[in-house]
Amino acid sequence: WIASGRKTGTLHVERRSVQKRIILREGNIFSSWSNDPRESLGQFLIRLRLITEEQLFRALLGQEEKGRLLGSILVADGLLGEDDLRRALKAKAEETVYDLFLWPSGQFEFREGEFPEIHISFESQVTPVILEGIRRVDEWQRIRAVFPNLETTLKVSGPPPAGADPVEKQVLALAAAGKSLAEMSLELRRSEFETAALVFDLHARGLLAVGQVRAGNP
């Protein structure tokens, strides 16, 4: 509806304590905001290996002192290029939207004409984002058939394969430490879906087995 009407404004969505805002211009996704800590810009910059933990910490201190946007501080300090910042903002906004497809319930309101000042932006067309969101709903059903809930723990079935990427090694280490899927999600700074999809792939390859299924939300 927003895309076909080429509307400009802010979509407010809320579920329990999670609040998100998707900013759109002429029907395209333009920016986003979320109070989910895993969807903060800093977390995405670290995930994409564009900055280090230490650089993020210093920039956050500078943000408190100067009252400037995190991205602007990192670009001004020469730690991040504008193109890399734009790439991180785009990834952050799309993940913020994808997560909405997995909400069983929630509230939303579109405020037409509400468009905050944005210094560095991007544009994502809505249709590809919707198609990926629908794909994730289908994938989520397959994942949940193996992992009943996010409190599920895993057992390591073998050593990391030669050439395993750092994220896979981290997942295997977290599984060996007895972390649940929910705990892994926080450690990995990734959404519950992304974390479960990583674990699901390792499970399918015989590197992980289901451990204990604790009581928890489905």
Side-chain angles (χ1 to χ4, degrees), residues 33-174:
W33 173 89
S34 170
N35 67 352
D36 185 334
R38 291 168 299 189
E39 294 175 353
S40 69
L41 175 60
Q43 300 304 317
F44 270 85
L45 291 171
I46 290 175
R47 273 182 51 183
L48 295 171
R49 303 183 187 280
L50 294 173
I51 61 172
T52 65
E53 292 264 11
E54 184 179 354
Q55 289 169 336
L56 175 60
F57 179 71
R58 289 177 182 172
L60 290 172
L61 288 178
Q63 186 179 31
E64 289 183 7
E65 295 171 0
K66 302 171 186 176
R68 292 164 54 198
L69 294 173
L70 177 63
S72 299
I73 291 173
L74 291 167
V75 170
D77 289 347
L79 298 172
L80 192 65
E82 285 196 10
D83 286 344
D84 283 335
L85 175 58
R86 192 170 284 108
R87 177 161 64 97
L89 288 169
K90 186 175 187 291
K92 179 177 84 72
E94 290 176 353
E95 285 296 335
T96 297
V97 176
Y98 295 150
D99 184 56
L100 296 175
F101 282 80
L102 304 179
W103 285 15
S105 62
Q107 298 175 318
F108 73 91
E109 177 187 4
F110 181 68
R111 299 179 186 176
E112 193 163 2
E114 181 180 285
F115 195 81
E117 182 181 355
I118 299 169
H119 299 284
I120 297 179
S121 62
F122 60 89
E123 282 195 335
S124 290
Q125 293 186 340
V126 167
T127 299
V129 174
I130 290 175
L131 291 175
E132 172 61 15
I134 293 170
R135 185 196 72 79
R136 291 191 179 202
V137 171
D138 292 338
E139 183 72 7
W140 195 233
Q141 299 305 314
R142 288 191 287 273
I143 291 170
R144 283 303 176 88
V146 178
F147 311 133
N149 60 47
L150 293 170
E151 295 305 316
T152 302
T153 62
L154 289 303
K155 296 183 294 186
V156 178
S157 303
D165 68 44
V167 176
E168 286 186 348
K169 290 180 180 178
Q170 188 178 4
V171 170
L172 291 170
L174 291 170

